[in-house]
Amino acid sequence: MVTSKNDCSTWERRKLRAVGLGAALLSLLLARPAAADKTDDDARRAEELFKEARAAIDRNDYATACPKFEESLALVRRAGTLFNLAQCEEHEGRLVTAMRYYKEGIVVLDPGDPRLAPSKKKLAEIEPRIPYLTIKPKTALPKDTRVTIDGKEAEAIGVAVPINPGKRTISVLAPKRTEEKYVLEVAEAEQVEILVNAGKVIVEPPPPPLFGPRRIAGIAALGVGGLGFVGAIITGGIIVSANGRVEGGCPNVQCDTAQGYEAAKLGKTMLVANAITWGVGIAGAGAGAVLLLLDGKKKGQEKNKPGHSFVVGPGFVGVEGKF
């Protein structure tokens, strides 16, 4: 039997396909147990956290219980965990959060679940207790202004939004402006409206002068010193020249010619001038160097700026901060 090259190629392709299919099937079979193991581990850990949270509630330790319920819920979302977390948040006064967990738990329950009716009743009791806050700007806010409530972005401006009762801090953050803060004491079921403004414009300080008074004085002193050195060089040259004429006109110390006498007189005068110019040069250079060194040092420290915030509560308005 004769086999053509085309038949061999077809056979090889079929073998490769079969091997590839087998490898894919093997990978799938191996991956399923791993995924199942992870799911089982998450379920076990979620159950452990749930039990730890319930034990904390039995000790009246709600500060520990609420985060553990949240961790358990992040692993496995169960109606029981949602309702327990809702009760925990309600106990801590976070009514908005409690309402959201009750609503989510009610949605996942089957219609015939016995927990449905009491959960709806609890939700109906919580909703009327929730306060609402409306934030309105007195004037148009600058572009890219952010308004936060307790550090989180406000859901809406100019619209009533549900908030948890208690002390709330509203911040208005506008580019190139100071932060404006408003502190509110909000009671349950209260409808609060607050007018806000952007902070004051931050005035950029003018750039420091290229040359300050001390630097200018230092440069001037260096200039005087330089002139002194130039004068010393010139007078020194005159002295050397006069000395040569003195040696020619006064061979025996006694000056026999008028030219020798004048040269000797000029030399004495230039000696005084040379000493003075050397002194001016050294003093000017030294003073200039000191002034420039002092100008390079940093002076003082920035003082803390005073801050303030408005405090608004039922029946009062105040200001708190440093003045």
Side-chain angles (χ1 to χ4, degrees):
M1 179 178 179
V2 180
T3 304
S4 67
K5 292 183 178 181
N6 290 336
D7 291 339
C8 290
S9 298
T10 302
W11 173 247
E12 291 295 331
R13 287 197 297 272
R14 287 176 179 174
K15 285 200 298 183
L16 289 173
R17 288 175 184 171
V19 170
L21 183 60
L25 183 59
L26 181 61
S27 299
L28 182 62
L29 292 173
L30 291 174
R32 279 188 175 181
D37 288 344
K38 185 179 184 310
T39 302
D40 292 342
D41 290 342
D42 287 348
R44 280 193 293 270
R45 181 56 183 156
E47 185 64 25
E48 290 174 3
L49 289 165
F50 182 87
K51 290 179 180 178
E52 291 173 6
R54 289 300 312 171
I57 286 180
D58 292 340
R59 301 191 305 270
N60 204 34
D61 185 4
Y62 285 83
T64 299
C66 292
K68 287 189 177 292
F69 278 133
E70 288 179 352
E71 289 183 60
S72 177
L73 190 64
L75 293 171
V76 179
R77 299 194 79 80
R78 295 171 176 163
T81 310
L82 286 165
F83 292 139
N84 276 273
L85 182 52
Q87 292 171 7
C88 193
E89 293 292 314
E90 180 189 2
H91 182 275
E92 294 299 281
R94 296 186 284 267
L95 301 181
V96 175
T97 316
M99 175 186 68
R100 289 170 181 166
Y101 285 132
Y102 270 120
K103 285 184 175 181
E104 186 177 349
I106 290 169
V107 168
V108 299
L109 287 180
D110 292 329
D113 195 297
R115 295 171 293 178
L116 189 59
S119 299
K120 287 183 176 181
K121 180 182 177 182
K122 193 65 180 175
L123 177 61
E125 293 173 356
I126 289 178
E127 285 182 322
R129 296 168 53 198
I130 294 175
Y132 281 79
L133 171 66
T134 304
I135 301 173
K136 291 184 177 181
K138 289 182 182 178
T139 57
L141 296 176
K143 185 181 179 183
D144 298 328
T145 296
R146 295 171 50 237
V147 179
T148 63
I149 302 174
D150 297 333
K152 297 180 180 180
E153 295 288 338
E155 294 181 16
I157 303 296
V159 178
V161 295
I163 59 169
N164 290 318
K167 186 177 181 179
R168 307 272 73 86
T169 301
I170 291 88
S171 297
V172 182
L173 307 166
K176 296 184 178 181
R177 289 176 180 258
T178 58
E179 180 181 358
E180 199 75 4
K181 285 187 177 182
Y182 304 83
V183 181
L184 310 177
E185 287 289 346
V186 184
E188 288 190 12
E190 188 176 7
Q191 301 286 330
V192 181
E193 182 176 304
I194 183 170
L195 299 177
V196 299
N197 265 334
K200 296 180 180 179
V201 176
I202 298 174
V203 180
E204 298 291 339
L210 186 61
F211 298 111
R214 186 174 289 177
R215 182 175 289 270
I216 292 173
I219 293 172
L222 285 177
V224 171
L227 291 175
F229 288 133
V230 171
I233 293 171
I234 293 173
T235 54
I238 293 173
I239 290 170
V240 171
S241 176
N243 186 55
R245 294 199 299 275
V246 168
E247 290 178 354
C250 308
N252 299 318
V253 182
Q254 296 292 330
C255 295
D256 299 330
T257 64
Q259 183 180 3
Y261 177 77
E262 291 295 333
K265 184 178 178 181
L266 177 62
K268 289 180 180 180
T269 303
M270 288 298 103
L271 279 174
V272 176
N274 184 259
I276 292 173
T277 52
W278 273 114
V280 170
I282 293 170
V290 171
L291 287 170
L292 290 177
L293 286 173
L294 290 175
D295 185 66
K297 292 183 177 180
K298 295 180 180 179
K299 299 185 300 181
Q301 296 179 347
E302 291 185 2
K303 295 181 179 180
N304 292 329
K305 295 182 179 180
H308 69 275
S309 59
F310 296 100
V311 182
V312 183
F316 74 90
V317 177
V319 180
E320 67 177 5
K322 295 189 297 181
F323 296 89

